[in-house]
Amino acid sequence: MDDPIRLLLILIPALPLAAAVLIGLLGPRVLRQQSHWLAIAAVLASFLCSLLLMRELSFLQRAAGAGGEVALGIGYEEVRRLWTWTDVADAYQQPRTPPGESRESLVGGGSRDFRIDIVLRADSLTCMMLVMVTLIATLVAIYSAGYMHGDPGYWRFFAYFGLFVFSMTMLVSVSNFVLLYVFWEAVGLCSYLLIGFWYQKPAAAAAGKKAFLVNRVGDFGFALGVFLIWTTYGTLNFHDSLRGGELEPARIQQAVAAERAGEVVPAEQEPVAGVFGPLRLADNELRPAGQPRTSAMISLAICLLLLLGACGKSAQFPLHVWLPDAMEGPTPVSALIHAATMVTAGIYMIARCTPLFLVSPDAQLVVSVVGGFTALLAALIALTQYDLKRVLAYSTVSQLGYMFLALGVGSLAGVTAGMFHLFTHAFFKALLFLGAGSVMHAMGNVIDMRRFGGLRRVMPVTYITFAVGCLALAGVFPLAGFWSKDAVLGAVHDKVHELEPHDSDSHGPAPHGPAPHGPAPHDSSPHGSAEGGGTQAVERPESSADDDVTPVFGLSNLLRGQIFHWLYLLGLMTSFLTAFYTFRAFYLTFHGPELIPPEAGRHAHESPASMTVPLGILAVCSALVGLLLDRSYLDGTNSFANWLLWTPSLGFPAAMRTTLPGEFHLSVAGWSTLMALGGIGLSSYLYLGSRHEIHGIRQFFDLAWVSGWSDVESFARMRQWRVARWVRECSAAVGLEWLLRLVVGALLLVVLVLSAPLLLLYYVSPYKLSYHRFYLDELYELVLVRPLRGLARLCYGIDRWLIDGTVNFVGRVPRQIGDVMRSLQMGLVPFYALAMVLGLLILLAVQLLG
Amino acid sequence: MDTATLLLVTILLPLAGAVALWPVAALGTRAVRWTALAVTLATLLLTVLVIWDFYPDHVASTEREWTWLGAGEQIQFGIGLDGISVWLFALSALLMVTAVLVSWEAIDDQVPQFYALLLLLECGCLGVFAARDLIMFYVFFEFTLIPLYFLIGIWGSEDRKYAASKFFLFTLAGSLLTFLGLLSIVWWKAAYVAGGELTFSIAELAAAVQQAAGTPRAMSPGFQAVLFAALFAGFAIKVPLFPLHTWLPLAHVQAPTAGSVFLAGILLKLGSYGFVRFCLPLLPDATYLFAPWILWIAVIGILYGALIALAQHDLKRLIAYSSVSHLGYCLLGVFALNPLGLQGGTLQMVNHGLSTGGLFALVGMLYERYHTRDIQQLSGLARQVPRLAFFMLVFTLSSIGLPGLNGFVGEFLVLLAMFQRAWQEPLPGWGLHLKAISVLAVFGVVLGAWYMLWLVQRVFFGPLKHPSGGHDGAPPRDLAPREILALAPLAVVMVWIGVAPNFFLRPMDGPLREVEAAVARPLQEGLQNREPVAEKRPQTGLENLTRAR
Amino acid sequence: MYLSGAAHIGQAVAGLWPELAGGGGLSAVAGSGLLAALPDWRVLVQSPTTWGLVCGAVALVLMLPRGSAVARVLGGVVGLVALGLLAAGQPLLSDWLAQGLFWILAGVTVLSAAAAVAMRSAVYAAVWFAMSLLGTGSLFLLQGASFLGVATVVVYAGAIVVTFLFVIMLAQPEGHATYDRLTWGWYAKPVSVLAAALMVAVLTTALPGIRQIDALAALGESGAVERSAGVLHPSHMARFGAELFSRELVSVEVAGTLLLVALVGAIAIMIQGRRQAQAEESAR
Amino acid sequence: MNELALLQNYLLVGGLLFAIGLAGFLVRRNMIVMFLSAEIMLQGISVSLVAWGRYHNDWGGQMLVVFIIAVAACEAAIALALVLMLAKQTGRLDIVLWQDLREEGQPAYVDREVPEEREEDQVWPTLTPAGIEPEVDPEEELHRSRV
């Protein structure tokens, strides 16, 4: 094939799929314990293809940017059509806007086909995700070959694995909301299969189902969002095309020109502006066509529904409950799917939909609030968990919350920061999970941190790499996490600054000068006109809100600024907690007295090379990736962000008017480092020292003193006091025992009543809340699952007794009538004659009188 | 042989096979089974040939009519396929192979009679979908009842007689009304359009309705409403719609596996097919008027069926209630009255036939092995029967609408169409209703995933448990090649529809567009009527909110 | 606002169906039409025919079984009154002789028919029936149907009634059976008599309608000459015979065959019955 | 003669005969009397037919009556034969005895109370004896008292 991009785009998902199918067919009989070779080879090839694709794309981008050939000046994308999935012509008649505005015909109005082509796209965002996914997948595949060795379902694992990589690569490279939804669910299916991989474990099977269902709730929102996009924009494609399916940009330009000139073009040649296509983005035409007044509501609704979908997939509050349970799956799966790739699909989707969110500031606020809140909540829960993988799972939820926080800022700085955090997080979280897997492997699948400890000498490689991962997660300079977390917090900080009134600086979170107006931080950006984006942002307080977009919630800028300010503080707080719980887990596992559970048996040693080598590679990446990609501290250039700005969904004019990435916030960096070090320090103090202090602190947060205070048994002990005995004897002597009992009983009652609230407090003590994950699972069980099951039983009862009863009753009516009629059949000849005569009489009367 | 003759042969072949079983029965049950299989396979092959002929121009090129009854050219033995019926026709032929294969060992008394009835059933179903004439449609429509009645009544489980009578009476009661309604339309045509000339051709009737639309000779809305109610009675019971569904779980639970497969796969489609074929094109105004109500009923059925399925312990009953839920989607699509919905709804009929038919076949296989259908007695079977578990998972995923398999395509199109309809609803006051309906329908998908996955989790995952009172103590064997042969074609078609649905949607486009054109007129009128109103009152709930603010 | 959808449909359904009215499916049968066709109640009350029918019904009730002797006598009297009332309601014939003759013959016929029905004893009933037949025959003569008058007397009174008497003697040689004094239920008598009375009432209500049919009326008034050439032809028997054996020849043959078949049938039945009886006896 | 008046008068008589016959047929239980009643009904019809025939100056009415008489004769022959058969089987002419065709489970009709036969009713016609009086069989006497 002479079109390398097409070939690569097909190869990247096709290779893992082919591997999956082959393993599925040959696995049980032929490949067996050799199944991994096929998977590794395919995924590795896929990774190489992704790199090639990135290279091809960057050439093309540079050529386009240099020649100024990008037609409408926004982004660069390559789309390739494979085949037509569905095509329902004239499916939707969108109300036409008044004639005269010829542009409107491109983006709204007229007859719309429901045409879904299987179209693959290559742009910066996709390439970034592809490289990340395939790289991590390759490493995890190699790791799994060691980790899963000897499992009876070995081939099955790699078949699922290939299927997942296929789905995930398709997810990021499709160019259509329907197909996005398709692979959105497909990765969910792979997740379901892999969580329930050890299906004999009831917990694993239940966790798989739970993951699928919670995701379905999210998908419910996603689907509604997609429907709303369809009715609003009349297309579900990301890209521009012609109605006949033509994708060639030149042809589209030609058609647009013809349309603008008022020529009558055949239906095949009519241009269709994709949701994120240059035609629409050039003028920020995401205002729904034809319904200007409802546009704000609809935009908000679309965004919130998409957000619900993202919350499901990316495990954000309130749909985060499935991710910790998903740790029942094999650890490589947790590393790949539930830390690095699949759970970031929500982030990817929101980043992809940036143009939609940009016209709805309220939705952005919600994204940020959800993200910030989840980050804090998950971090709080992670503080007290003893299951090593669950700590990491909550950490993942928390970090995903960070990403949402950044995405919700609504500036390019925020979006790129979120994606950057996604990128770095993939490395160090995969590293941590694989490290945890290594520990599990050695400890004979024991994962409770209380049952092992001091492993640093037993597993030195794991120890070192895990330490690197922990430092990166905690955000310690100069590891990857530091840079991305700084970018996130910096973006939020900028937002606060942007929203606050200029004359009063009193709310400022920290002394922070105006943004350094460096030279245009994006030389390679396709927009020559966008220099000094930062300046513009300061000058235009409402830069992210377009003129005809009215915020639905009606919050003032001041209030929104304050909310973002709180979110910023929350982020800092979370980074403290992150550092604390990360190192708590680290110390509990690798430090302290050496403790090895009996299940470990002969396995208690360092893992094989197939597992340690990926760990090493990931550790190196975690350490260096931030330093290499984010050079904002040097010259304000974040190569990662600049690369991303080539994405059509990001680098379009309206977005370019927001705060651009590239600033390095020394103060923010300072604060966050301080927080991280504080967290590390505290946990070092607590967990490297004696365990007694830990116990004390836990008792304190558990409100143990309350329990001691209101314990009924303490009253029982009081009976043994000498004074008490004396009083009792005295009263017995004077025969007033009953009075004594009365008084003591009354006292006891009063004390109990008074301490009831305290008891309640005891049961929701901070420690217990955190340990029991804020009782959210129980709450869902109580509020959703049980009522629904009850309703189900009620419905069944109604069905059996009421509805079927009615049916049976109706069925009995003819028999009842028949019983009545039977009595007429009495066998008397004169009676029959009489009946006949009466009938005749009626006929006669009708005939003669009628 | 031209296509029409081929089609005729296809329809009559099972009938001939049923007759042929008479002499074959003397050779023993083995011979009977193989003969039945050969006949069904031959029918399937012929069906493929017919579709092969039919597909390239995907028009009803296969139509042909022979005078059948009556003086003059009135009642015709008219057969032909179009895009609406072709896939259901093919599905009948396909599912019958499955039905024959799943009864291979399950049925061992009165075998010749059993297979003869199965073949008769197939003939009836093929005939219904190929009928081009109203009387012929009705005759085949009723003809399908009889074999199934005996299949349930003779080879069913313990409560079979009650179930068979209930099924028979229920459906018969409705379809008699339907017949009256259909005859009334014929009468209207003769009295008002054709000048006294009777015609029973469906196409001519539809054309007459179209032609009379808007003129004084058109049926008045009141008349249409009454006829619609009559037609609705039969079709809604067949579908079955929400309050009329109670015969279905009973019949499914009691029926032999092959009966369940065919009942779920084909016979339930006769109702929704009838809606598309008759209600929409022949009674457009009434359809348009009643559509919101039927949509409500459909969505209530979706949620209600799903909830009840959640409370079931009997595998068959669970799947039966899931049918109630899934068929709600078909109707949702059909009564969304736009091209997307019609195509989605029609495709969903095929999808449901594949997935639910397959699920019933699997339950039958499970029952053969473990002699129970009680979910609580089974657990962790994936270890003993991994292939069965694999197929179960595939069919389950198809049933809950997982992308990449067939269920998703239909469901997505239907829901999208519903949403689009809600957005454009011209009937005053119905906009919010329809929006609520579409949201609830989407929520039904969540419930659907819940009960199906819970079923799989309980039966196939977890620690191994099954009633140890099996026959000989030996662990049940996994699927035999014969059983895989019964299931694999269904799975293949599922993937095919899921990956390239356009292949299946393309032929539907033409005929469904005609149907849509018939109902589009009242819709367009409604839209035009809405325009002046829109100035004064808010159109949508969202806008309401905006204005209130 | 939400109800308007429902109201819309209701409106549409409430619309009448022009198809049904215009297509001529069923003739409009509405209850109100029947009521409207009934004569005014005042006319009914004033009409002697009404009271005659009432009296006749009462008389019949009184006379029919389970009535005492007093009741039967009373019934006879009331019956006479009824006949008078009915006669009063009828138009008079122009000829006084004919009128008187008719009244006597009609009275005899009807009263003896009533007596035939009311008699306890089957024998009496048969005799009264013969009496009634004589009256009928005379009425036929009065109409100018002399052959029929004679035939009725000869065939009915002479043959059939005699057969009756034979059968009575064979089957019920003696005494009054209980079933002759009883009906078969409390409602049998009133409902039956009411039905009979209503039937006459309906028929008499329709009588004046004859007048309204102009063609018939004209025929009735002006046909004296034609009748003397037709049914009232002087050589009545010859014309009657010619008519019977020319136009109705086939029917006559069929009737003859029927008589033969009936004869054979009756014999066959009797033989069968005898065999059965013999078989029963031999079994005994 | 006033033809219309004649017609009306005859029709009334015919109607009355028919009605009386009808009432008798419905009320009486003796099969022979029921049969007589049916004949009375036929007479009513005959009267009407003759009247109409005269009025219309048509032979048809009288022709029909001839056939009625013929059919009545046939009917009498067959029906009386049947009655005789039935009477032989039970010894009674009561129609109510023959109610075997009633629905299953339906109670049979039985007379609640039988009124006493009064003295004055105990008179029945006696045919004047003719010829030699047959010897009375004592068994037959016994049998007769049962009737």
Side-chain angles (χ1 to χ4, degrees), chain A residues 728-793:
Chain A
R728 203 162 56 233
E729 280 165 9
C730 284
S731 60
V734 296
L736 281 178
E737 215 171 0
W738 58 272
L739 188 64
L740 180 73
R741 282 189 185 159
L742 204 70
V743 167
V744 169
L747 273 176
L748 210 62
L749 201 67
V750 167
V751 168
L752 273 178
V753 166
L754 285 181
S755 60
L758 285 174
L759 269 176
L760 201 66
L761 200 63
Y762 170 69
Y763 282 112
V764 293
S765 70
Y767 176 79
K768 284 210 175 57
L769 277 181
S770 168
Y771 186 75
H772 290 117
R773 303 159 229 157
F774 289 87
Y775 296 104
L776 276 175
D777 277 324
E778 287 79 1
L779 190 71
Y780 286 165
E781 176 78 17
L782 200 69
V783 175
L784 289 176
V785 178
R786 277 181 195 283
L788 264 177
R789 285 211 190 131
L791 187 64
R793 263 187 294 260

Side-chain angles (χ1 to χ4, degrees), chain C residues 186-239:
Chain C
W186 60 268
Y187 55 90
K189 202 159 65 169
V191 173
S192 305
V193 172
L194 189 68
L198 274 177
M199 195 163 278
V200 181
V202 169
L203 289 170
T204 48
T205 319
L207 276 185
I210 297 168
R211 233 186 268 274
Q212 290 161 9
I213 306 171
D214 289 339
L216 279 179
L219 185 73
E221 294 309 319
S222 67
V225 182
E226 289 80 4
R227 250 182 223 105
S228 62
V231 287
L232 295 182
H233 197 273
S235 52
H236 171 80
M237 282 301 190
R239 298 299 295 268

Side-chain angles (χ1 to χ4, degrees), chain A residues 85 87 89 91-93 114 185 199-200 209 212 216 220 227 230 293 297 552 792 796 799 804 807-808, chain B residues 166 245-246 304 307 312 317 321 383 400 403 416 420 424 445 453 457 462 498-499 501-502 513 543 546:
Chain A
W85 195 67
D87 182 11
Y92 183 52
Q93 301 291 328
F114 182 73
E185 290 233 340
Y199 55 80
Q200 297 93 336
K209 189 196 69 176
F212 199 92
R216 261 282 157 111
F220 163 75
F227 297 157
W230 165 250
R293 277 186 303 157
M297 271 314 290
V552 180
Y796 187 43
D799 199 57
D804 204 27
V807 167
N808 286 341
Chain B
K166 193 164 189 172
H245 63 274
T246 48
Y304 182 81
L307 277 176
Q312 296 306 315
R317 188 169 281 145
Y321 275 111
R383 198 183 304 191
I400 63 177
L416 182 58
Q420 186 178 316
Q424 295 184 305
V445 177
L453 288 183
Q457 181 203 336
V499 174
N502 211 30
R513 209 157 279 275
E543 194 183 349
T546 324

Side-chain angles (χ1 to χ4, degrees), chain B residues 326-370:
Chain B
H326 283 293
L327 282 159
Y329 287 106
C330 292
L331 283 205
L332 216 57
V334 169
F335 281 94
L337 304 181
N338 49 30
L340 275 180
L342 281 168
Q343 298 203 6
T346 313
L347 188 67
Q348 187 66 3
M349 294 179 208
V350 180
N351 293 340
H352 175 262
L354 286 171
S355 59
T356 308
L359 283 174
F360 273 120
L362 279 167
V363 171
M365 293 171 186
L366 262 189
Y367 185 75
E368 270 179 60
R369 286 170 174 72
Y370 296 101

